[in-house]
Amino acid sequence: MTSGVQKSGSAGRVGQWLGQAVAYALFMGCVGYFATSPAYQHTAPDQAMLKLTISHPGQSREACRERSAEELAGMPPNMRAPMDCPRERSPVTVELRLDDQQLFNAALAPSGLHSDGPASLYRRFSVPVGTHQLLMRLNDSVREPQLWHEARRQLDLKPGQIVVVDFDSPSREFLIH
Amino acid sequence: MFAVAERGLDRVFGQRLNPFYHLGALSFLSFWIIAASGLYLYIFFETSISGAYPSIEELTHGQWYLGGILRSLHRYASGAMVITAVLHLLREFSLDRLRGSHWYSWFTGVPLLWLLVASGISGYWLVWDQLAQFVAVISAEWLDWLPIFTDPMSRNFINAAAVSDRFFSLLAFLHIGIPLALLLLMFVHIQRMTEARSNPPRGLALGTLASFIVLSLAWPALSQAPADLDFAVGSVDLDWFYLAIYPLVDRWSPGAAWLLAAGVTTVVAILPWLPPGRRGPAAVVNLENCNGCGRCFADCPYDAVTMQPRTDGASFAEEAVVADDLCARCGICVGACPTATPFRRASELVAGIELPALTVHDLRERIQGKTEGLDGEGRVLVVSCRERPRVAESAGVVAVELPCVGMLPPPFVDFVLSRRLADGVMLAGCSDCDCRYRFGNDWMDARVAGERDPALRARVPRERLDRYWESRPARSATAARLERFREALKSLGPYQRNAAATPTREVRDGAD
């Protein structure tokens, strides 16, 4: 007398089959619908995108200095490098302005356990389509705080367009992709 | 909510095919469908920036009759796997199947969900359409929040020139490697289950597969527009099963999304150890009554009983040993013990294996005490599983609760009827395939049918035994069932032991 589905006539069986069909249809409807819906709006139609990304090693925080003869004599013979160049790098200060409004301004710390690696940055900004004036500034030396690498560009942004602002370390110039 | 859904599906599918009782097995089925369809898709997939999208388009449209259907199966089975896995988790939680011996499966299930989602995400990248672009950009931004990359990973997706073919080789490797790790962990997940059900019943498997095929034909999975890293993704058709967190990363911040994900994961993972904890003492073996027959070892659903060489010098080869941390306190081992018989004339009834919270001696006392006040026609003793709703007592009906109905040694049924303590016995347990302790009603069914030791004696009239397997019955349904059973008993009249049937054999200590 185990409980379970009561075996009734063919009408009951048809009802069961219909019920199963409905259950499968509901489940598969749920699977199919949420596999693609509802849609998600990542970027509005009247917006473009500005990506600021930099990977740049700052200048050495301290200048190299020449070791004295006494210092060199006190060092193991295989380590007697005439110049002492501290590894630590300067933070890289980056400023980005769009139409005289500041989008980004921060000092990026150098990477690495000894702060001797490049400073890195990635940020994206949603920007209305149209014409804009872009100002980019970068300083990479605490020993020369007044020295800024600077560039200005006029942007004519289309809907959805991505503009990438990068900094080319060898040429020390801003790049706009 | 689960109770209502389960009752409805019981009526439609029957207990044996009720999908709610096979959620874990359905997840396995989805995995195998994903794996098989994925193997075929991989044959035609081009692992390059320029080749990925066209190769999938060719699969989808050029050979829609096979590649297209398999692609759809691949996607929809992935979505279904998330649904069944999450429902499985929620249902186990609702039934409190996460504490004690269940902690292992619960705990290993948590990283399974992460691997499942990671498998799906890596798959979406491969298509290299607008959705893939969105997933790539947001994934990179999300991962960049963690202090693991010297250079931001996002720099790899700033424009088309930054992405290389090697990236697709890496993705293909990930999309194979992560699911393999998932499969390994699925295997680990069921390790502490004896006879784990990793395959759904054939009818349910065929129905599910057929439904996937119908869905694939009616609503084929398609790519969106090809990825173009020079333009931002606008509106994207998101797969919410796998990518639900992406809008949060996009709208909130990567850090907030990590906090949410890590917080939810941690809370879910430690749930088995959070209050209220309720665990009685584990089963104990009484060596003076254990003959090492191994039935408790065979019946334990959690591998908590092992057979080890005898330590007390008795002439038997082995003895049962219970692992405290694995024991679920269900008492199924007691129901399997041949010495757990109420007919024994020992001064104190002690079985070879006992649940200290309810010894066999106490159970006999409780049944005798409960049935003392029964009178009239159609007297019923209900032996009920503690996991289902309590059966209301009334005139002519008394109830005794056990942790699991499988704890009741079959001789107790014989005892109740032959001593005329009641005119009939109702065993009320969980639904088929839904036993809280996995095999309680299965083993009881087999014992009543004489297919499993200790078998219910042939002399016991089966018409006086009602097995009522329903996890969450409505109160009225139980009352109606009891009424029908009582009416049937009344028509049978008082129990008369048939002298010609199997003679009574009263079992003495240690004997079977």
Side-chain angles (χ1 to χ4, degrees), chain B residues 14 82 96 104 149 163 173 216 221 326 365-366 383 399 404 416 419 441 444 448 478 494 503:
Chain B
V82 172
D96 199 34
Y104 177 84
F149 301 110
V163 187
F173 173 77
S216 301
L326 299 180
E365 297 283 308
R366 193 175 293 182
V383 180
C404 174
V416 169
R419 297 289 166 93
N441 43 5
M444 182 56 80
V448 171
T478 303

Side-chain angles (χ1 to χ4, degrees), chain A residues 54-56 111 118-121, chain B residues 144 148-156:
Chain A
I54 283 169
S55 179
H56 173 66
S111 59
S120 299
L121 166 69
Chain B
D144 278 340
I148 51 178
F149 301 110
T150 306
D151 240 17
M153 187 181 171
S154 298
R155 284 176 62 81
N156 293 306

Side-chain angles (χ1 to χ4, degrees), chain A residues 41-77:
Chain A
Q41 189 76 39
H42 177 47
T43 309
D46 60 347
Q47 298 286 306
M49 194 171 284
L50 194 60
K51 289 187 176 181
L52 172 63
T53 176
I54 283 169
S55 179
H56 173 66
Q59 304 300 310
S60 296
R61 186 176 266 279
E62 295 173 38
C64 295
R65 68 175 181 84
E66 200 168 344
R67 287 194 171 103
S68 65
E70 292 78 26
E71 268 183 292
L72 289 172
M75 296 172 74

Side-chain angles (χ1 to χ4, degrees), chain A residues 1-3 5 16 19-20 24 31 34-43 53 55 120 122 124 160 162 164, chain B residues 10-12 14 141 150-152 155 211 229-234 236-240 250-251 466-467 469 481:
Chain A
M1 290 179 74
T2 305
S3 167
V5 177
Q16 271 194 327
Q20 290 186 20
Y24 280 123
V31 169
F34 288 108
T36 54
S37 306
Y40 175 69
Q41 189 76 39
H42 177 47
T43 309
T53 176
S55 179
S120 299
Y122 170 84
R124 67 175 157 88
I162 296 176
V164 179
Chain B
D10 267 351
R11 277 195 288 275
V12 171
E141 291 178 1
T150 306
D151 240 17
R155 284 176 62 81
S211 305
L229 287 171
D230 292 331
F231 281 88
V233 172
V236 66
D237 295 337
L238 212 58
D239 181 334
W240 293 87
D250 189 26
R251 296 283 168 95
D466 184 11
R467 282 165 284 151
W469 301 157
R481 176 91 177 203

Side-chain angles (χ1 to χ4, degrees), chain B residues 403-415:
Chain B
C404 174
V405 78
M407 179 184 172
L408 186 75
F412 271 79
V413 178
D414 192 7
F415 180 77

Side-chain angles (χ1 to χ4, degrees), chain B residues 439-507:
Chain B
F439 300 126
N441 43 5
D442 285 354
W443 292 169
M444 182 56 80
D445 279 340
R447 289 167 189 163
V448 171
E451 296 163 352
R452 194 175 187 92
D453 282 330
L456 182 64
R457 284 182 170 175
R459 73 177 189 187
V460 177
R462 272 28 181 198
E463 64 273 20
R464 291 182 181 274
L465 176 64
D466 184 11
R467 282 165 284 151
Y468 181 27
W469 301 157
E470 186 92 51
S471 295
R472 298 165 179 178
R475 188 183 294 254
S476 57
T478 303
R481 176 91 177 203
L482 260 172
E483 199 46 48
R484 282 202 303 275
F485 184 44
R486 293 193 69 196
E487 288 302 318
L489 291 173
K490 284 174 190 170
S491 67
L492 289 172
Y495 173 60
Q496 300 289 335
R497 186 188 296 179
N498 181 1
T502 313
T504 305
R505 181 168 58 106
E506 296 198 338
V507 181

